[in-house]
Amino acid sequence: MERLEGTILRNLLYNEDYARKTLPFFKDEYFAQFTDKAIFQEIKKYFDKYSNFPSKEALVIELNERNDLTEEHFLNTTEILNEAEQTHQKEDRESLAWLLERSEKFCQDKALYNAITDSIGIFDETKKSDHTKDAIPTILSDALSVSFDTHIGHDYLDNSDERFDFYRKKEEKIPFDLEYFNKITAGGLPRKTLNIALAGTGIGKSLFMCHMAANCLSDNLNVLYITLEMAEERIAERIDANLMNIPMDMLKNIPKESYKKKIGKLRDKIKGKLIVKEYPTATASVNNFRALMNELKIKKGFIPDILFMDYLNLCVSTRYKNNINAGSYFVVKAIAEELRGLAVEMNIPIVSATQLNRTGFMSSDVGLEDTSESFGLPATADLMFALISTEELEEQNQIKVKQLKNRYNDPVKNRNFLIGIDRGKMKLYDVEEEAQKELISESKEITGKVIKKNTMSWDSFKEEKENNKKRGLSKITCLL
């Protein structure tokens, strides 16, 4: 009876369809016998070099030139190859689906066995390990996540039926409880995306994320909130104020029994979980966040549906962590790219924030150019919007939202809109439609005035330039 390892090696040699789908997922440590491992290593080395699979004769020559094979080992490898050739010549063929399923299970079992062995080795004082006991959850999690992904791309013509079905498939999204945010995102935030709120200090970045986190929790979603700015308890305090509908300054005076009663009601009503994790400022990267999610999955069975990151600029990049000469443009852009990669890897939307620069902080009409530190951030984000506050808006308990970038919908539609804000209870809410209409009317009026004010003909420009030269000015500052 042929061994599973023999079946795998035979099909790697004689079944090209199987080999091309599975070779990237096999590792030489999965093969326990030295002769099996040697054959696999030569198959992979040959393919990596020539982008094709070796013949039996070529494999024998390569194995014969290895210095680590004894004569007995070499005879065993040739015996395995002869047996594989004879079996291949028979008419019976295994089902490709069966082969893929058994091969995937083989890789999973071997990966888990090796992970358990490595974990035990960490505690063996006679062996030197590159890992500490803190790495055990990650080692086991990586082993458990081993799977075959045989999809190698979308064929435009051959996969047209699948594409047609995709057009009619409703995309899974996480909705807002705010009407205009649902309008601009066509129903909510899709998975595998990075979404950024842009605002100045004290405008409401954390308030926005806390409100949205509370809403997601109320919708029975699992929420992970990572803070690099405030303590875990401060974030939870804001969530309390929002969900309990109590001003924050009253939370300190509420009797314990009343507090416990409200928590009990929330526990009965809410089926999701909220985990708040604090990291010191400028110390954590996506590697820390990935390890945290893996640890939560193993220890608590917690898999987040959405991640809030408060906030992006306070993270560190895995690429530039030790590069003190890297400019902020490259560092922040790298952080954004790494976070978006994490969103794709974990199949979740990530919501974060960034600061306005000094010019944007003083402006009531923010643009992408007002992003602090790096313009590479808006280039990476899927959705980016500004939160803008003025004295007039504060008096009416409102805040203006301006779309800056939107991959989900037309950003021109509802470019600016208003939402209500209750800073005491850490809540956002929809305002009446009349207020939205007034905002649109004001925006058109202001835009018209700006165009009139800043329009200058080419002849007027040349005349003004000549006048400046006469006055000893080399440059003219104007808006065309």
Side-chain angles (χ1 to χ4, degrees), residues 38-76:
I39 293 172
F40 171 76
Q41 287 173 339
E42 293 305 324
I43 293 174
K44 191 171 189 313
K45 186 166 67 174
Y46 188 98
F47 182 83
D48 290 343
K49 187 173 183 179
Y50 301 107
S51 298
N52 211 334
F53 294 94
S55 65
K56 172 194 164 186
E57 291 73 19
L59 208 53
V60 170
I61 293 172
E62 294 296 333
L63 288 165
N64 189 40
E65 293 183 356
R66 286 179 65 126
N67 297 323
D68 57 345
L69 286 179
T70 64
E71 186 176 347
E72 182 181 358
H73 284 147
F74 178 71
L75 290 174
N76 286 338

Side-chain angles (χ1 to χ4, degrees), residues 65-314:
E65 293 183 356
R66 286 179 65 126
N67 297 323
D68 57 345
L69 286 179
T70 64
E71 186 176 347
E72 182 181 358
H73 284 147
F74 178 71
L75 290 174
N76 286 338
T77 58
T78 54
E79 185 179 335
I80 292 170
L81 293 175
N82 288 333
E83 183 181 345
E85 184 179 40
Q86 292 170 8
T87 306
H88 168 68
Q89 291 172 351
K90 295 179 182 179
E91 292 185 2
D92 296 335
R93 293 287 182 271
E94 299 91 352
S95 161
L96 179 61
W98 178 86
L99 278 171
L100 292 173
E101 183 180 336
R102 289 306 304 267
S103 299
E104 183 177 39
K105 188 175 185 305
F106 169 80
C107 290
Q108 290 169 342
D109 291 345
K110 292 296 182 181
L112 184 58
Y113 175 82
N114 292 340
I116 293 172
T117 303
D118 291 343
S119 299
I120 295 172
I122 291 173
F123 295 96
D124 190 345
E125 296 180 356
T126 63
K127 298 179 181 179
K128 287 186 177 180
S129 175
D130 296 331
H131 302 289
T132 65
K133 62 181 182 180
D134 295 331
I136 291 176
T138 303
I139 294 172
L140 293 173
S141 179
D142 290 345
L144 290 168
S145 65
V146 169
S147 64
F148 282 11
D149 180 7
T150 56
H151 177 70
I152 53 173
H154 179 86
D155 189 302
Y156 178 76
L157 296 176
D158 291 346
N159 298 128
S160 57
D161 287 343
E162 290 89 337
R163 189 165 65 251
F164 182 83
D165 293 337
F166 170 78
Y167 294 151
R168 282 148 182 79
K169 181 181 177 182
K170 188 174 181 180
E171 187 176 14
E172 184 182 357
K173 292 188 174 185
I174 294 179
F176 294 86
D177 64 338
L178 299 166
E179 179 187 358
Y180 271 78
F181 269 103
N182 281 326
K183 282 184 178 181
I184 68 171
T185 58
L189 298 180
R191 295 180 180 272
K192 303 180 181 181
T193 58
L194 177 63
N195 309 275
I196 303 295
L198 173 65
T201 303
I203 299 300
K205 298 187 300 296
S206 296
L207 188 152
F208 174 85
M209 286 191 281
C210 285
H211 171 86
M212 191 177 173
N215 176 60
C216 291
L217 185 62
S218 297
D219 285 344
N220 301 317
L221 298 174
N222 284 339
V223 180
L224 178 58
Y225 197 114
I226 293 176
T227 172
L228 295 99
E229 186 177 35
M230 288 186 286
E232 295 170 357
E233 294 79 9
R234 291 298 181 191
I235 298 297
E237 179 185 27
R238 292 171 173 229
I239 304 291
D240 271 342
N242 184 291
L243 291 177
M244 295 180 182
N245 201 31
I246 299 174
M248 284 180 61
D249 55 3
M250 288 181 61
L251 280 172
K252 299 174 183 178
N253 302 319
I254 188 173
K256 187 171 184 179
E257 287 302 317
S258 299
Y259 180 78
K260 289 175 68 176
K261 188 176 180 181
K262 289 181 179 294
I263 288 292
K265 287 182 179 179
L266 291 174
R267 186 178 283 112
D268 293 338
K269 185 173 65 173
I270 294 173
K271 304 305 177 187
K273 283 188 176 182
L274 168 65
I275 302 293
V276 183
K277 173 63 178 175
E278 176 189 3
Y279 288 98
T281 302
T283 61
S285 69
V286 292
N287 288 342
N288 300 97
F289 311 145
R290 184 182 294 109
L292 171 64
M293 285 188 267
N294 289 333
E295 193 171 357
L296 286 170
K297 181 180 179 181
I298 293 170
K299 292 181 177 179
K300 286 180 170 284
F302 176 88
I303 301 174
D305 294 300
I306 187 168
L307 168 61
F308 294 91
M309 178 69 55
D310 193 0
Y311 62 94
L312 184 144
N313 298 62
L314 300 180

Side-chain angles (χ1 to χ4, degrees), residues 365-421:
D365 188 29
V366 174
L368 284 175
E369 69 279 3
D370 297 313
T371 306
S372 69
E373 295 190 276
S374 176
F375 197 73
L377 171 54
T380 307
D382 296 284
L383 172 69
M384 194 162 180
F385 55 91
L387 301 175
I388 303 167
S389 181
T390 63
E391 290 183 5
E392 292 79 5
L393 289 172
E394 282 290 337
E395 289 175 2
Q396 299 176 54
N397 295 320
Q398 293 176 352
I399 192 168
K400 185 171 82 169
V401 180
K402 180 181 179 181
Q403 291 190 69
L404 302 177
K405 180 182 180 182
N406 192 343
R407 287 177 176 165
Y408 316 137
N409 213 337
D410 183 357
V412 176
K413 293 180 180 178
N414 303 306
R415 170 76 75 181
N416 298 282
F417 59 92
L418 296 174
I419 53 176
I421 183 168

Side-chain angles (χ1 to χ4, degrees), residues 313-332:
N313 298 62
L314 300 180
C315 301
V316 294
S317 167
T318 57
R319 278 180 270 177
Y320 293 103
K321 188 173 181 180
N322 298 316
N323 190 347
I324 58 175
N325 295 320
S328 62
Y329 173 88
F330 296 102
V331 174
V332 175

